[in-house]
Amino acid sequence: MKEFLYRFKQKPTKATIFTMLSLLILGAYSAYAQEDAGPTAADAVFVANNVWMLVATFLVFIMHLGFASIESGLTRAKNTTNILFKNVSIVAIGILTYAIVGFNLMYPGDFSIGQYFGFAGFGIASPEGAAGLIAYADGGYTYWTDFIFQAMFAATAATIVSGAVAERIKLSSFLVFSTIFVALVYTIAGSWKWGGGWLDAMGFYDFAGSTLVHSVGGWGALIGALILGPRLGKYTKSGLKPIPGHSLPLATIGMFLLWFGWYGFNGGSVLSADPGLVSLVFVTTSLAAAAGIIGAMVISWIVFKKPDLSMILNGSLAGLVGITAGADVMTPLSAVIIGLIAGVIVVFSVIIIDKYVKIDDPVGAISVHLVCGIWGTLAVGIFAADFSFMTQLIGVLAYGVFTVVCALILFLAIKLIMGLRVSEEEEMAGLDIGEHGMEAYPDFQQISDSGGSTMNYPPSEG
Amino acid sequence: MKEFLYRFKQKPTKATIFTMLSLLILGAYSAYAQEDAGPTAADAVFVANNVWMLVATFLVFIMHLGFASIESGLTRAKNTTNILFKNVSIVAIGILTYAIVGFNLMYPGDFSIGQYFGFAGFGIASPEGAAGLIAYADGGYTYWTDFIFQAMFAATAATIVSGAVAERIKLSSFLVFSTIFVALVYTIAGSWKWGGGWLDAMGFYDFAGSTLVHSVGGWGALIGALILGPRLGKYTKSGLKPIPGHSLPLATIGMFLLWFGWYGFNGGSVLSADPGLVSLVFVTTSLAAAAGIIGAMVISWIVFKKPDLSMILNGSLAGLVGITAGADVMTPLSAVIIGLIAGVIVVFSVIIIDKYVKIDDPVGAISVHLVCGIWGTLAVGIFAADFSFMTQLIGVLAYGVFTVVCALILFLAIKLIMGLRVSEEEEMAGLDIGEHGMEAYPDFQQISDSGGSTMNYPPSEG
Amino acid sequence: MKEFLYRFKQKPTKATIFTMLSLLILGAYSAYAQEDAGPTAADAVFVANNVWMLVATFLVFIMHLGFASIESGLTRAKNTTNILFKNVSIVAIGILTYAIVGFNLMYPGDFSIGQYFGFAGFGIASPEGAAGLIAYADGGYTYWTDFIFQAMFAATAATIVSGAVAERIKLSSFLVFSTIFVALVYTIAGSWKWGGGWLDAMGFYDFAGSTLVHSVGGWGALIGALILGPRLGKYTKSGLKPIPGHSLPLATIGMFLLWFGWYGFNGGSVLSADPGLVSLVFVTTSLAAAAGIIGAMVISWIVFKKPDLSMILNGSLAGLVGITAGADVMTPLSAVIIGLIAGVIVVFSVIIIDKYVKIDDPVGAISVHLVCGIWGTLAVGIFAADFSFMTQLIGVLAYGVFTVVCALILFLAIKLIMGLRVSEEEEMAGLDIGEHGMEAYPDFQQISDSGGSTMNYPPSEG
């Protein structure tokens, strides 16, 4: 029973009637399975819940294509293969490490070091029992569903980092960083709230991960971009030079797919198909994203004198990140306000970080995920009843300190051991040639030598 | 009860057993929520229905990426940023205006001016009641689900216009037009049928919007393209000059995503997860799209002597628009015939409008959405029993007159007040530079001056 | 009853409690429909099941965009229009032929020639009965759902061929081939297992089609590539020349969409929303894809000295094809192993086929679908209890012999009657101009003459 409740993101006291139902379902289902009578109504709710959670799972999965598209669209053609390679790899690394250690670090059941760390063992396996595969269920879905939905979340945290460090980080170094980051840092931090740890006990609230996913990724992005330094030619004696991305259609595809996937990211975080809650989450999520676009549009039009497409793309993501912490507890009006403010914040944050703080973040990942992730988490303490602003702030700071320390150690250790940044020559020529020996668009990039190709074999033949 | 029935797109007399069930569900659910016993079978159907309607919602959402992709793919690279900006903005405008006034204009409950106009008040809020959030439900889904599914529909009508006016309309003017069009014109027109107004009372049938969405958008597209006039260089002394789109892969992505989303557009219009109806709608929708491709392929191959990709893309959309009015009442054979004819119609319509009527519609929006929308609506009167061809025709004409008048007033007022078309210089250079100060593909377009960028900041620094 | 069981992919003895439930549902539903009382729990399970199967249907549909994207991304810009045209056409051809003859060839009910061939008649129609549309249901979904889910599968087999014969096959010849292949070859072969034919009776197991879909498509691809011969300039006197694809972002979009769709391809093949089975399938599918990426990454990094993006894209697909035959009967660990091995196999297979066997397969379709399809089918006999390796091998060989003979006859007959390959001039200039008279990217390809366009009309005017 204790373990059962731990696996809920919400505190038991906030559980809706549906999470209570899940206990009935569990009992009813087990009873049914032994008796072999017809299905009960609780069985049917179980089936529908599980369908919804699996739908949410594939929606979160396609967010990885969203990240791959927006990150490669907002960077240069000569680094596109590299960015795509990172984003494809991270999905694989995220899912596999989550199966090996992540799931059992994030949802340890019992904690062994206070409420800070616990580990339920290597690997995954559906608990045995009278009803076999289906016997183990949380909130009306199966153990397998629980695992795969959470596994899809895991990889996103590392993916967020990849945008900020793009166009200059060594591929192998990034892969090592992200493997450890997603396997250990994200998961242990996650256990503090979603695994039933100390922040959960304190009343901290983060519905779908403004902090647990987006800020954690954002802090990693910040540290990575800081340690790497700016791209060559970004900050010159004659001033700041904007480096435009190579494909706005690709970036736009990315934004739409991220928003699309967010219906699963937030909608699935209800952890059931509870009609009232899931549909409210759809409404608040949509309104915040829409308001983020409008906020970013108005502000960027005023500041830049021109309407800026990349800014409204980031505005929609800002609204989405902002609503994520409280998507299930906001009114439509609060959702619009949170999204609008997020859209305004992201424009100023991009300008400030780029122009004054002088951290080079090619895709605006720090502004979108870290800054708006913090905003969204604090907004729960402002707009929603029953939550304390101070507790939300403590949560934000705790995740900040932990992630910054971990990311610092990781990036510095990798820098020392294997180096972090590609050579100047490679950066100038593009990481596609340097790291991969192939170009993303050989028919259009028309490089003169035979080094460019989308294939590396035959290894030795001319 | 009266209000309850108004919110159904179908007439109560056509309601399936499932819409009747919804009443049982409502009662059963409320009863349950007060008693806190286990879920009933009606609860379980309610959960499954609501899941389906939310799935349909995110499917309709992704159609906006479909529109963005096909419209930018079928136009020139120098206007791509502009088109993407419009399509992203419209989603935001559509959802927000629908929350502020649209939903309550389209589903007013009571009409204040005959059965022509009604307004249930500003903003949205789930009705209170014993069972809280979930107490209000139509056809087994929640108020929030009802709102967000319909909100996704709303924006599509305005998006249809954007394709026809592409590559020459001023951004600000388009945004003003589409805000008013989606907030007032689409919604008031919609209330006549889906809100229970006079055309609904008359027996007019439009299942998922061949007329209410596609023709309404198409009439707006026609008027916009007429008032704007053709793009520079389209009709010259030496004859008609085709202006090819810049990316057929992007256009193809758009078509596939539109078809994909149509499973939610049509499938969700059942307004429940009724297994027989939703699956029939999947079959008729798929067959009509497939037949539209074949129809357009055969005809364009004969007429042009070559198989034309853009024509079969439009052929599939033609089939989809054509089946939309009657997707739930057609046999598979009728669906194939309707789709085939739509595919033939769209090819001739594109040629006639382009070559003889000389209206410049860059993406074929008028042919696809208006002409095939009319065809689909009339086809209900031809192929389906129980519907009158004359009533269908009256509906088509009523929507035509209303939308044409509204669009004329809007476009002419905007032209007078703020201007409608960009300057010749801007049109030649592309709206991306003129309106946005950035290019969509800076690495490939290789503009010489520093004016091209995907970013506008720093505002003043070199 | 007999026909009912035939339509299940799984053997009755392997049916879970849910397939048994379906009988209860059928009975309960019919009973209910006549009595008009409230819904039963079995009705609710039926609704949820049907929702899941329709979700799986639109997921399989979007795989066609995945195929279109990866095939065009991995080939040259000058042939892009042609590849997109083929992929769009095939969807239409697949769905329509499946409605006309395919469905009733694949699920004939009774066989007329041994257990090798049966045909239930032309066209589709929901069986009549007391409960009308919904009366006919398999495993808790409707006849229409059954048809449209299977129809989406059908077209994939032909699509697989298109990648291997790309950049040189005549469009009309390919369309004739694929029409016959998908209408007759795929469906008759499919009836042997999924239609309850002789291989099903023998105990052969192929859950979602490693052999029935992927190997069948792969054998067609092999024969097509063999008969056509390599692309001009591929094998020269100075050795093998790699021909890089023109857009790795497009190829990556394709991979992600295929993986995305595979959740429906495998998840829907459970043929119900059985929570335990569908979620297990999600887990095994995800793990195998992830492991395929890692396997291909490690091996290609070792062999080529550089990490190869196109190889990890193929690695993920290899893992997916590999797990498809046994996704419902594998443990997570077995899924990882199967995927890892598939990722390794695909790298070596691509090298061997390209370099030593000298078959020119532009996208690696033979390696991914045929070789890994065989691996996945045999893996069921290795990793899963209750299945015989020898029976799996017999199935693989039977499908191989049948498909090779059919494809040989088809391709040779077409070659004789209408020719199979475009002229050398057309191949050099690109099939986009030769076959379609339009280019995929006219703004970037900047052809000098006026022959390039994305439109073919006006047919005669300058």
Side-chain angles (χ1 to χ4, degrees):
Chain A
M1 179 66 189
K2 192 168 157 238
E3 187 183 21
F4 176 82
L5 291 175
Y6 276 160
R7 287 187 182 257
F8 277 93
K9 289 185 181 179
Q10 286 92 346
K11 286 163 57 194
T13 53
K14 293 199 59 66
T16 67
I17 47 165
F18 271 80
T19 60
M20 286 299 111
L21 277 186
S22 64
L23 292 171
L24 294 171
I25 292 164
L26 265 175
Y29 206 83
S30 307
Y32 150 68
Q34 280 152 13
E35 292 179 28
D36 243 5
T40 67
D43 298 339
V45 172
F46 174 42
V47 173
N49 270 345
N50 195 69
V51 165
W52 168 243
M53 292 306 296
L54 291 175
V55 168
T57 298
F58 69 65
L59 289 175
V60 178
F61 168 76
I62 207 64
M63 292 176 77
H64 289 287
L65 176 55
F67 279 112
S69 299
I70 200 164
E71 290 178 17
S72 57
L74 291 179
T75 50
R76 288 165 291 181
K78 66 181 178 180
N79 298 313
T80 299
T81 304
N82 183 252
I83 288 164
L84 297 171
F85 194 97
K86 286 192 295 188
N87 279 279
V88 172
S89 308
I90 285 174
V91 184
I93 290 169
I95 293 172
L96 289 173
T97 60
Y98 208 72
I100 297 169
V101 297
F103 190 48
N104 288 336
L105 277 172
M106 195 149 168
Y107 300 97
D110 296 312
F111 284 86
S112 49
I113 304 179
Q115 282 173 300
Y116 301 99
F117 177 83
F119 183 48
F122 291 95
I124 52 166
S126 184
E128 293 187 19
L133 267 179
I134 316 173
Y136 184 96
D138 275 0
Y141 48 95
T142 71
Y143 175 90
W144 300 123
T145 302
D146 194 23
F147 163 73
I148 196 67
F149 178 68
Q150 301 298 343
M152 289 303 172
F153 262 64
T156 54
T159 293
I160 289 165
V161 180
S162 82
V165 299
E167 308 204 283
R168 58 209 192 278
I169 198 168
K170 276 178 66 175
L171 177 70
S172 53
S173 303
F174 177 77
L175 293 179
V176 169
F177 168 81
S178 59
T179 302
I180 301 171
F181 193 75
V182 70
L184 305 181
V185 180
Y186 166 78
T187 50
I188 293 171
S191 75
W192 296 352
K193 166 63 191 156
W194 292 344
W198 67 280
L199 278 166
D200 190 51
M202 189 186 274
F204 174 70
Y205 194 68
D206 187 3
F207 170 61
S210 284
T211 285
L212 271 76
V213 178
H214 294 280
S215 288
V216 163
W219 288 115
L222 175 69
I223 300 303
L226 258 176
I227 294 182
L228 274 168
R231 289 166 292 174
L232 291 177
K234 173 77 186 178
Y235 298 103
T236 63
K237 283 173 188 170
S238 57
L240 162 61
K241 186 171 154 287
I243 301 177
H246 84 283
S247 175
L248 289 179
L250 203 50
T252 305
I253 288 173
M255 182 284 281
F256 271 108
L257 289 179
L258 284 167
W259 183 343
F260 180 71
W262 231 289
Y263 289 116
F265 196 89
N266 283 0
S269 290
V270 171
L271 299 179
S272 84
D274 179 329
L277 273 180
V278 178
S279 59
L280 172 64
V281 165
F282 265 59
V283 171
T284 55
T285 300
S286 305
L287 289 174
I293 289 171
I294 301 299
M297 191 195 303
V298 170
I299 294 298
S300 65
W301 210 324
I302 292 171
V303 172
F304 304 140
K305 311 282 183 285
K306 300 245 179 189
D308 186 306
L309 177 59
S310 59
M311 281 298 170
I312 66 169
L313 299 181
N314 274 336
S316 81
L317 301 183
L320 290 163
V321 171
I323 198 63
T324 293
D328 63 332
V329 293
M330 295 298 167
T331 63
L333 185 61
S334 298
V336 170
I337 296 169
I338 289 171
L340 261 180
I341 294 176
V344 172
I345 287 176
V346 81
V347 174
F348 287 118
S349 175
V350 163
I351 295 174
I352 290 168
I353 288 175
D354 199 62
K355 201 169 165 186
Y356 301 105
V357 184
K358 292 192 194 297
I359 293 175
D360 184 18
D361 175 4
V363 304
I366 299 166
S367 300
V368 167
H369 299 281
L370 175 56
V371 178
C372 291
I374 292 173
W375 159 241
T377 310
L378 298 179
V380 171
I382 300 169
F383 290 89
D386 304 329
F387 297 106
S388 149
F389 183 84
M390 281 310 298
T391 308
Q392 295 300 100
L393 187 62
I394 290 169
V396 165
L397 293 174
Y399 276 98
V401 170
F402 178 74
T403 314
V404 164
V405 169
C406 291
L408 265 175
I409 294 171
L410 271 176
F411 273 123
L412 291 176
I414 291 169
K415 188 174 182 179
L416 200 73
I417 297 167
M418 57 194 293
L420 205 55
R421 187 159 176 156
V422 300
S423 70
E424 286 203 9
E425 294 71 38
E426 187 175 327
E427 193 176 334
M428 298 294 283
L431 277 68
D432 288 7
I433 294 299
E435 296 280 84
H436 304 275
M438 56 176 63
E439 290 195 309
Y441 305 95
D443 285 11
F444 303 129
Q445 290 170 304
Q446 291 161 324
I447 49 169
S448 50
D449 61 347
S450 63
S453 155
T454 55
M455 295 177 188
N456 277 304
Y457 71 87
S460 53
E461 288 184 36
Chain B
M1 181 66 190
K2 190 170 158 237
E3 188 182 20
F4 176 82
L5 291 174
Y6 276 159
R7 289 188 181 256
F8 278 92
K9 289 184 182 177
Q10 286 93 346
K11 285 164 54 194
T13 52
K14 294 199 59 68
T16 66
I17 47 165
F18 271 80
T19 60
M20 286 300 113
L21 278 184
S22 65
L23 292 170
L24 295 171
I25 292 164
L26 266 175
Y29 207 83
S30 306
Y32 151 68
Q34 281 152 12
E35 292 179 29
D36 242 7
T40 67
D43 299 338
V45 172
F46 175 41
V47 173
N49 270 345
N50 196 69
V51 165
W52 169 242
M53 293 305 296
L54 291 175
V55 168
T57 299
F58 69 64
L59 289 175
V60 178
F61 168 76
I62 207 65
M63 292 176 77
H64 290 287
L65 175 55
F67 279 113
S69 300
I70 200 164
E71 289 178 17
S72 56
L74 291 180
T75 50
R76 288 165 291 180
K78 64 181 178 181
N79 298 314
T80 299
T81 305
N82 184 252
I83 288 164
L84 297 172
F85 193 96
K86 287 192 294 190
N87 279 279
V88 173
S89 309
I90 285 173
V91 184
I93 290 168
I95 293 173
L96 289 174
T97 60
Y98 208 72
I100 297 168
V101 298
F103 189 47
N104 288 336
L105 278 171
M106 195 150 169
Y107 299 97
D110 295 312
F111 284 84
S112 49
I113 304 177
Q115 282 173 301
Y116 301 99
F117 178 84
F119 182 49
F122 291 95
I124 51 166
S126 184
E128 293 186 19
L133 269 178
I134 317 173
Y136 184 97
D138 274 359
Y141 49 94
T142 72
Y143 175 89
W144 301 122
T145 302
D146 193 23
F147 163 73
I148 196 66
F149 178 68
Q150 300 297 344
M152 290 301 172
F153 262 66
T156 53
T159 293
I160 289 164
V161 180
S162 82
V165 299
E167 306 202 285
R168 56 206 191 281
I169 198 168
K170 273 178 69 176
L171 178 70
S172 53
S173 303
F174 177 77
L175 293 179
V176 169
F177 168 81
S178 59
T179 302
I180 300 170
F181 193 74
V182 70
L184 305 181
V185 181
Y186 165 77
T187 51
I188 293 171
S191 73
W192 296 351
K193 166 63 191 156
W194 292 344
W198 68 279
L199 278 165
D200 191 50
M202 189 185 274
F204 174 70
Y205 195 68
D206 187 3
F207 170 62
S210 284
T211 285
L212 271 77
V213 178
H214 294 280
S215 288
V216 164
W219 287 116
L222 174 70
I223 300 303
L226 258 176
I227 294 183
L228 274 168
R231 290 166 292 174
L232 292 178
K234 174 76 187 178
Y235 297 103
T236 64
K237 282 174 188 170
S238 58
L240 161 64
K241 187 172 154 286
I243 301 177
H246 84 283
S247 175
L248 289 179
L250 204 49
T252 305
I253 288 174
M255 182 283 282
F256 270 108
L257 289 180
L258 284 168
W259 184 342
F260 180 71
W262 230 290
Y263 288 116
F265 197 90
N266 283 2
S269 291
V270 171
L271 299 180
S272 84
D274 180 328
L277 273 181
V278 179
S279 60
L280 172 64
V281 166
F282 266 59
V283 171
T284 55
T285 301
S286 305
L287 289 174
I293 290 172
I294 301 301
M297 191 195 302
V298 170
I299 294 299
S300 65
W301 210 324
I302 292 170
V303 172
F304 303 141
K305 309 284 182 285
K306 300 246 178 187
D308 187 305
L309 177 58
S310 58
M311 282 298 171
I312 65 168
L313 298 183
N314 274 336
S316 80
L317 301 183
L320 289 163
V321 170
I323 197 63
T324 292
D328 63 331
V329 293
M330 296 296 168
T331 63
L333 186 60
S334 299
V336 169
I337 296 169
I338 289 171
L340 261 180
I341 294 175
V344 173
I345 287 176
V346 81
V347 174
F348 287 117
S349 175
V350 163
I351 296 174
I352 290 168
I353 288 176
D354 198 60
K355 200 169 166 186
Y356 301 103
V357 186
K358 293 193 195 293
I359 293 175
D360 184 18
D361 176 5
V363 304
I366 299 166
S367 301
V368 168
H369 299 282
L370 175 57
V371 179
C372 292
I374 292 173
W375 159 241
T377 309
L378 297 179
V380 171
I382 300 170
F383 290 89
D386 303 329
F387 298 105
S388 148
F389 183 84
M390 282 310 297
T391 309
Q392 295 300 101
L393 187 61
I394 291 170
V396 165
L397 293 174
Y399 277 98
V401 171
F402 178 74
T403 314
V404 164
V405 169
C406 291
L408 265 175
I409 294 171
L410 271 176
F411 273 123
L412 290 176
I414 291 170
K415 187 174 182 178
L416 200 71
I417 297 167
M418 56 195 291
L420 205 55
R421 187 162 177 154
V422 300
S423 70
E424 286 205 7
E425 295 72 36
E426 188 175 327
E427 192 176 335
M428 297 294 284
L431 277 68
D432 288 6
I433 294 300
E435 295 279 85
H436 304 276
M438 56 176 64
E439 291 194 308
Y441 306 94
D443 287 11
F444 303 130
Q445 289 169 305
Q446 292 163 324
I447 49 168
S448 50
D449 61 346
S450 62
S453 154
T454 56
M455 296 177 188
N456 277 304
Y457 71 88
S460 53
E461 287 185 35
Chain C
M1 178 67 188
K2 190 169 158 237
E3 188 181 19
F4 176 82
L5 291 174
Y6 275 161
R7 289 188 182 255
F8 278 92
K9 289 184 181 177
Q10 287 93 346
K11 285 163 56 193
T13 53
K14 296 199 58 66
T16 66
I17 47 167
F18 271 80
T19 59
M20 287 300 111
L21 279 185
S22 65
L23 292 171
L24 294 170
I25 292 164
L26 266 176
Y29 207 83
S30 307
Y32 149 69
Q34 282 153 10
E35 292 180 29
D36 242 7
T40 66
D43 298 338
V45 172
F46 174 43
V47 173
N49 270 346
N50 195 70
V51 165
W52 169 242
M53 292 306 295
L54 291 176
V55 168
T57 299
F58 69 65
L59 289 175
V60 178
F61 167 76
I62 206 64
M63 291 177 76
H64 290 287
L65 175 55
F67 279 112
S69 299
I70 201 165
E71 288 177 18
S72 57
L74 292 179
T75 50
R76 287 165 292 180
K78 66 181 178 182
N79 298 315
T80 300
T81 304
N82 183 251
I83 288 164
L84 297 171
F85 193 97
K86 286 192 294 189
N87 279 279
V88 173
S89 309
I90 285 174
V91 183
I93 291 169
I95 293 172
L96 288 173
T97 59
Y98 208 71
I100 298 169
V101 297
F103 190 47
N104 288 336
L105 277 171
M106 194 148 168
Y107 300 96
D110 294 311
F111 285 85
S112 49
I113 305 178
Q115 283 173 298
Y116 300 99
F117 178 83
F119 182 48
F122 289 95
I124 52 167
S126 184
E128 293 186 19
L133 268 178
I134 316 173
Y136 184 96
D138 274 1
Y141 51 93
T142 71
Y143 175 89
W144 301 123
T145 302
D146 193 23
F147 163 73
I148 196 66
F149 178 69
Q150 301 298 343
M152 290 301 172
F153 262 65
T156 54
T159 293
I160 290 165
V161 180
S162 82
V165 298
E167 307 202 283
R168 57 206 191 280
I169 198 167
K170 274 178 68 176
L171 178 71
S172 53
S173 304
F174 177 77
L175 293 179
V176 169
F177 168 81
S178 58
T179 302
I180 300 171
F181 193 74
V182 70
L184 305 181
V185 181
Y186 166 77
T187 50
I188 293 171
S191 74
W192 295 352
K193 166 63 191 157
W194 293 343
W198 68 280
L199 277 165
D200 190 51
M202 189 186 273
F204 174 69
Y205 195 69
D206 187 3
F207 170 62
S210 285
T211 285
L212 270 75
V213 178
H214 294 280
S215 288
V216 164
W219 288 115
L222 174 70
I223 300 303
L226 258 177
I227 294 182
L228 275 168
R231 290 167 291 175
L232 291 178
K234 172 77 186 178
Y235 299 102
T236 63
K237 282 173 187 169
S238 57
L240 162 62
K241 185 171 154 287
I243 301 177
H246 83 284
S247 175
L248 289 179
L250 203 49
T252 305
I253 287 173
M255 182 284 282
F256 270 107
L257 289 179
L258 284 167
W259 184 342
F260 180 72
W262 231 289
Y263 289 117
F265 197 90
N266 284 0
S269 290
V270 170
L271 298 180
S272 85
D274 179 331
L277 272 181
V278 179
S279 60
L280 172 64
V281 165
F282 266 58
V283 171
T284 54
T285 301
S286 306
L287 289 174
I293 289 172
I294 301 299
M297 190 195 304
V298 170
I299 294 300
S300 65
W301 211 324
I302 292 170
V303 172
F304 304 140
K305 310 285 183 285
K306 300 245 178 190
D308 187 306
L309 178 59
S310 58
M311 282 298 171
I312 66 170
L313 298 182
N314 274 337
S316 79
L317 301 183
L320 289 163
V321 171
I323 198 64
T324 292
D328 64 331
V329 293
M330 295 297 167
T331 63
L333 186 61
S334 298
V336 170
I337 296 169
I338 289 170
L340 261 180
I341 293 175
V344 172
I345 287 175
V346 81
V347 175
F348 287 117
S349 175
V350 164
I351 295 174
I352 291 167
I353 289 175
D354 198 62
K355 201 170 165 183
Y356 301 103
V357 185
K358 292 191 196 295
I359 293 175
D360 184 19
D361 176 5
V363 304
I366 300 167
S367 300
V368 167
H369 298 281
L370 175 57
V371 179
C372 291
I374 292 173
W375 158 240
T377 310
L378 298 179
V380 171
I382 300 169
F383 290 89
D386 305 329
F387 297 105
S388 148
F389 182 83
M390 282 311 298
T391 308
Q392 295 299 102
L393 187 62
I394 290 169
V396 165
L397 293 174
Y399 276 99
V401 171
F402 178 73
T403 314
V404 164
V405 169
C406 292
L408 265 175
I409 294 171
L410 271 175
F411 275 123
L412 291 176
I414 291 169
K415 188 174 182 176
L416 200 72
I417 297 168
M418 57 194 291
L420 205 55
R421 187 161 177 154
V422 299
S423 69
E424 286 205 9
E425 295 71 35
E426 187 176 328
E427 192 176 334
M428 298 294 281
L431 277 69
D432 288 6
I433 294 299
E435 296 279 85
H436 305 275
M438 55 176 64
E439 291 194 308
Y441 305 94
D443 286 11
F444 303 129
Q445 289 170 304
Q446 291 161 325
I447 48 168
S448 50
D449 60 348
S450 64
S453 154
T454 55
M455 296 178 189
N456 277 306
Y457 70 89
S460 52
E461 287 184 38

